[in-house]
Amino acid sequence: MNEPAIWVSGGDLRDALALVTVAVRRNTAIVRFDFLDDCLEITGPGATTRIDAEGDLREGAVLVNGGSLRRFIAVMPKDPKLRLQTRAGRLFIGNTGFEGQSHAVAPEPITLPIGSGVLGTLAAIAREGELVVRASIGAAEIAAAKQDYNRRIDEAFRQLGPLGVTRETLEAAVDASVRAPRR
């Protein structure tokens, strides 16, 4: 039995992966694959691109580790056409499988600016909601941003607590700053 798959140009996929992984700096970075009617949309940190696709895979979105994809580019098959399919929670490009998180129905992807860091992640959550951001950058990136936020609040409280500043006041000030529109 043939499993649903799409076919894309190997060269186009290589170029697209190089573009969307150029800003991958951490192992928690996520690349999102959206299987659309006649194309494959790929979103990574700071970039989104589309390539033509043929076939019958309509899985919604799959989130894959960006670091793994960045390393894959160097050993990617040189085939003119490559098959992409999902099986058992994995995205397969040719015969190479990547752990992934599948979303049958996913919100529109968002692209955070390259190097936006904790502030950019938290601002996106405040603006778009955590579910939308998670479907674009993954839960690990959000958890890392929240952990860094808490570490920074703890450090500020250690410095300012003796002066009478409460943790709640610090959190409220930071949250207001994160929610403020950027120019």
Side-chain angles (χ1 to χ4, degrees), residues 84-140:
L84 279 78
Q85 60 187 157
T86 58
R87 291 192 311 257
R90 296 174 70 85
L91 171 70
F92 284 84
I93 300 175
N95 293 322
T96 304
F98 298 90
E99 285 294 322
Q101 300 170 359
S102 293
H103 299 274
V105 177
E108 287 294 315
I110 61 168
T111 305
L112 298 179
I114 293 173
S116 61
V118 174
L119 180 60
T121 300
L122 296 176
I125 291 170
R127 189 177 57 250
E128 306 287 342
E130 189 167 328
L131 289 176
V132 171
V133 177
R134 179 178 293 144
S136 294
I137 67 171

Side-chain angles (χ1 to χ4, degrees), residues 3-154:
E3 296 192 34
I6 63 169
W7 294 87
V8 298
S9 158
D12 288 352
L13 182 61
R14 180 177 289 100
D15 292 346
L17 291 178
L19 173 67
V20 300
T21 62
V22 73
V24 170
R25 300 287 182 255
R26 299 189 305 210
N27 260 351
T28 57
I30 294 294
V31 171
R32 175 178 162 153
F33 290 78
D34 282 284
F35 302 98
L36 306 175
D37 288 336
D38 59 350
C39 68
L40 173 64
E41 184 175 83
I42 308 172
T43 304
T48 298
T49 190
R50 288 182 174 191
I51 58 175
D52 292 335
E54 300 171 355
D56 58 359
L57 182 60
R58 301 292 174 254
E59 292 291 317
V62 177
L63 306 181
V64 178
N65 180 281
S68 297
L69 288 169
R70 187 175 178 151
R71 291 185 295 276
F72 175 67
I73 295 169
V75 297
M76 212 173 133
K78 305 281 192 245
D79 300 345
K81 289 279 189 187
L82 287 173
R83 182 186 73 232
L84 279 78
Q85 60 187 157
T86 58
R87 291 192 311 257
R90 296 174 70 85
L91 171 70
F92 284 84
I93 300 175
N95 293 322
T96 304
F98 298 90
E99 285 294 322
Q101 300 170 359
S102 293
H103 299 274
V105 177
E108 287 294 315
I110 61 168
T111 305
L112 298 179
I114 293 173
S116 61
V118 174
L119 180 60
T121 300
L122 296 176
I125 291 170
R127 189 177 57 250
E128 306 287 342
E130 189 167 328
L131 289 176
V132 171
V133 177
R134 179 178 293 144
S136 294
I137 67 171
E141 192 75 18
I142 291 173
K146 288 180 176 181
Q147 184 178 11
D148 193 38
Y149 167 87
N150 286 324
R151 182 189 58 75
R152 291 176 187 215
I153 292 289
D154 289 343

